[in-house]
Amino acid sequence: MSPASSEYSKALSLGGYARKLSIAPKPSMSIHLNDHYNSRVYTTGSEVSGHVTIYPQSDVRFDSLQVVLLGTSRTLMDAVSIPQTTSHTFLKLVMPIPESSYPVPRVFEAGVTYKVPFTFVIPSTLTLNACSHQLAIDTVQEHHVRLPPTVGSWEKDDFAPNMSRIQYTIKARVYREDVAGEVPTKVMDAGKEIKVLPAVAEDAPLNITKHDDLYTMAKSKTLRRTILSPKSGRVTITATQPPAAMLSPDGQTITPTTIPLDLEFDPASSDVRPPKITGVTSKVTAVTYFSAVGINHYPNLRDWHRAFGTEGRGSYSGTTSVVVGPLGEVKWNRHLTTQARRDSGYGSEITSSSDSDLPTRPAPTKRSKDSVPSPIIHTARLQVPIQLPAHKRTFVPTFHSCITSRVYVLWLTVTLVSGGSSAHVTLAVPLQIGVRATDFHRESAELPPSFEEVEEADVNEYLRPRVMSVPTVEFHRSAVLPRYADLDRYRRPVAAH
């Protein structure tokens, strides 16, 4: 074959391929969400409604239609040969479609558009079946059955690695049973991802011990007036876990929080003045844990987070700077040590520099034989206000789920000046991020009535059983399937008292 004819045949084949692409059938199913836009965020109690549109290019015989809201978490681990992917479906809400609603025969006819409305409500918790693996600590399951947030699909960076994803998707599927008893064939499907930021209340502070090496709640530093001068004293800074920073339901804003710092200065001699606090800087680290198997503990506590560098587990950290607000004046107060009070014979407490009665402090640690311990200890309290940069990054709430977790570590670096030299003390404090509940969720989360209230009410009416039934509906090709809200009045409380 000549080169010219070869080129000609190649052009014909490319043209035929292009024609095949142009005449390929368009998707026969799509999902439309009401009042939806790409940046919309759904929270606990939010209604997710819309309709599935079916417009087949040719007649499609089918046996069933399924519309579901799925919550799925995925992790990706680097294995020896190929990456290992783990998927966990923790949420599956199915829209009920009565058998009597289907057309007879069950055929979607070509050229006819069918619309199937649906309505879902974002739940507040998961079922216990969402977490069925073995646990080392019983309280872990309480966290694993909480609704996790969307991870990895936000417009702004949410510190999520490619190895960890959490997605919420509306799925519509049409199935046909070609052979009785075998797995049905999926003939059409469509999906629409949504972003979910569930309401997360503030948890109790963590009980941090010396074994929790992810955090540093206290640290001491020896101070000197100059590099070559003898020690002027020792300062110890102890942090308290701050209140949770609370996100708005749409994740656009976040409340500030304040970290209390207790400072104690043990001078080398009684004439040494305490150091000056010249500044505090801060940054926050988001730590994402992910695993190929169920996580049976809190990965951020004890030394368990070290295991997330072994095979089948991993962790990823992302850090950003944090704005520190005005610190205010730091007032040092003097206290007699316990030993000094015992030696002096006085029963009353020493008066501080601010003329207020303050408790004594334990005796300082032992010094060398030649040094004379100071009978005085200086203390101060510093409140450090911080504001997370929610306008630059997306912060999802702190959570623990079966195969992935997210925690935050707040780093505080305190700069002290003593004489002509400065010193820096850095602490690592746990920071919880929560999400404020909407008014709807707060109303639905009210406690049940007390026994006194029940006795005062009409008991017979209060205990009267409610009957729920599916209304009779008919399906025509020009009609629509019933709305989910019409089929299941789940938003009204049902009996069981």
Side-chain angles (χ1 to χ4, degrees):
M1 181 182 294
S2 65
S5 60
S6 176
E7 292 296 329
Y8 178 73
S9 61
K10 185 183 297 184
L12 285 177
S13 62
L14 291 175
Y17 179 69
R19 284 193 300 274
K20 288 181 180 180
L21 291 178
S22 64
I23 64 175
K26 297 179 180 180
S28 300
M29 179 182 288
S30 63
I31 295 176
H32 172 78
L33 298 177
N34 298 332
D35 303 320
H36 181 77
Y37 44 91
N38 288 337
S39 60
R40 181 173 179 182
V41 179
Y42 299 86
T43 187
T44 304
S46 293
E47 183 181 275
V48 186
S49 62
H51 61 264
V52 178
T53 302
I54 303 171
Y55 39 95
Q57 304 298 317
S58 58
D59 290 354
V60 177
R61 186 184 66 80
F62 73 99
D63 289 286
S64 62
L65 169 66
Q66 185 183 70
V67 183
V68 297
L69 170 58
L70 291 177
T72 307
S73 57
R74 291 183 176 86
T75 59
L76 177 65
M77 300 299 303
D78 291 332
V80 177
S81 55
I82 58 174
Q84 179 182 357
T85 302
T86 301
S87 178
H88 174 223
T89 300
F90 54 83
L91 176 68
K92 184 177 182 180
L93 299 180
V94 182
M95 188 191 81
I97 302 178
E99 290 291 325
S100 59
S101 300
Y102 289 105
V104 179
R106 295 194 183 188
V107 175
F108 289 130
E109 298 181 11
V112 178
T113 299
Y114 302 85
K115 289 187 177 181
V116 183
F118 60 83
T119 300
F120 296 102
V121 174
I122 304 298
S124 57
T125 59
L126 305 173
T127 65
L128 292 178
N129 292 333
C131 176
S132 57
H133 60 90
Q134 295 294 322
L135 300 171
I137 304 174
D138 293 338
T139 57
V140 171
Q141 188 178 43
E142 178 188 347
H143 287 265
H144 285 193
V145 296
R146 296 179 183 179
L147 212 64
T150 294
V151 174
S153 300
W154 301 92
E155 284 77 11
K156 294 178 291 188
D157 179 22
D158 63 348
F159 306 96
N162 294 330
M163 295 79 74
S164 178
R165 287 288 185 269
I166 295 179
Q167 294 177 316
Y168 290 84
T169 310
I170 305 292
K171 290 274 191 182
R173 300 159 177 162
V174 175
Y175 292 99
R176 181 177 62 232
E177 295 182 8
D178 295 320
V179 179
E182 293 190 359
V183 178
T185 302
K186 184 168 59 179
V187 294
M188 285 189 288
D189 70 326
K192 187 81 171 181
E193 185 178 353
I194 62 174
K195 300 179 182 67
V196 174
L197 204 62
V200 178
E202 181 175 3
D203 286 321
L206 298 178
N207 181 24
I208 304 298
T209 68
K210 63 181 181 179
H211 303 292
D212 301 307
D213 52 4
L214 182 64
Y215 307 108
T216 304
M217 302 298 291
K219 184 176 285 189
S220 298
K221 188 86 171 183
T222 299
L223 303 180
R224 302 176 186 271
R225 296 183 182 275
T226 64
I227 298 178
L228 301 178
S229 65
K231 301 175 183 178
S232 60
R234 187 173 182 83
V235 66
T236 300
I237 303 179
T238 303
T240 301
Q241 181 176 338
M246 300 300 291
L247 286 161
S248 58
D250 61 0
Q252 296 300 310
T253 60
I254 190 168
T255 60
T257 189
T258 301
I259 303 92
L261 297 181
D262 291 307
L263 296 86
E264 184 174 293
F265 177 64
D266 179 13
S269 60
S270 57
D271 60 340
V272 177
R273 299 180 63 83
K276 293 182 179 180
I277 309 298
T278 60
V280 178
T281 58
S282 181
K283 60 184 179 180
V284 64
T285 297
V287 185
T288 305
Y289 298 99
F290 47 94
S291 175
V293 296
I295 303 173
N296 62 358
H297 50 260
Y298 298 109
N300 58 315
L301 296 182
R302 306 298 183 263
D303 58 352
W304 281 325
H305 70 95
R306 294 182 179 180
F308 280 78
T310 59
E311 185 177 355
R313 295 179 176 182
S315 64
Y316 176 86
S317 299
T319 302
T320 188
S321 58
V322 172
V323 176
V324 178
L327 297 178
E329 183 182 359
V330 179
K331 295 182 178 181
W332 289 93
N333 300 304
R334 296 178 300 164
H335 308 265
L336 278 177
T337 64
T338 305
Q339 184 62 38
R341 283 192 58 192
R342 192 160 43 242
D343 295 343
S344 66
Y346 287 101
S348 60
E349 297 171 350
I350 189 171
T351 303
S352 72
S353 57
S354 60
D355 294 332
S356 62
D357 293 336
L358 294 167
T360 59
R361 297 287 173 173
T365 55
K366 287 187 177 182
R367 297 179 174 86
S368 62
K369 294 181 180 179
D370 298 332
S371 64
V372 179
S374 170
I376 300 296
I377 285 181
H378 302 268
T379 63
R381 168 158 277 213
L382 179 62
Q383 301 287 344
V384 182
I386 63 103
Q387 178 67 58
L388 298 177
H391 61 289
K392 293 182 178 179
R393 301 289 187 96
T394 295
F395 289 89
V396 300
T398 304
F399 73 94
H400 299 283
S401 65
C402 290
I403 60 174
T404 187
S405 293
R406 165 66 64 86
V407 299
Y408 294 91
V409 181
L410 187 66
W411 301 88
L412 295 172
T413 300
V414 182
T415 302
L416 311 99
V417 174
S418 177
S421 64
S422 61
H424 305 283
V425 177
T426 300
L427 303 178
V429 182
L431 174 64
Q432 184 196 356
I433 295 181
V435 180
R436 297 197 305 270
T438 59
D439 292 336
F440 171 81
H441 181 245
R442 277 193 289 266
E443 292 174 1
S444 63
E446 292 181 355
L447 294 175
S450 64
F451 286 107
E452 291 78 7
E453 293 172 332
V454 173
E455 290 176 356
E456 293 174 0
D458 186 350
V459 178
N460 292 331
E461 175 63 21
Y462 187 77
L463 298 178
R464 179 178 60 85
R466 276 71 166 175
V467 179
M468 297 179 63
S469 61
V470 178
T472 302
V473 293
E474 294 181 359
F475 183 86
H476 303 285
R477 66 179 187 177
S478 59
V480 296
L481 289 175
R483 292 176 59 84
Y484 183 68
D486 296 331
L487 300 176
D488 188 3
R489 303 289 186 180
Y490 55 86
R491 294 183 64 181
R492 296 181 179 178
V494 178
H497 300 288

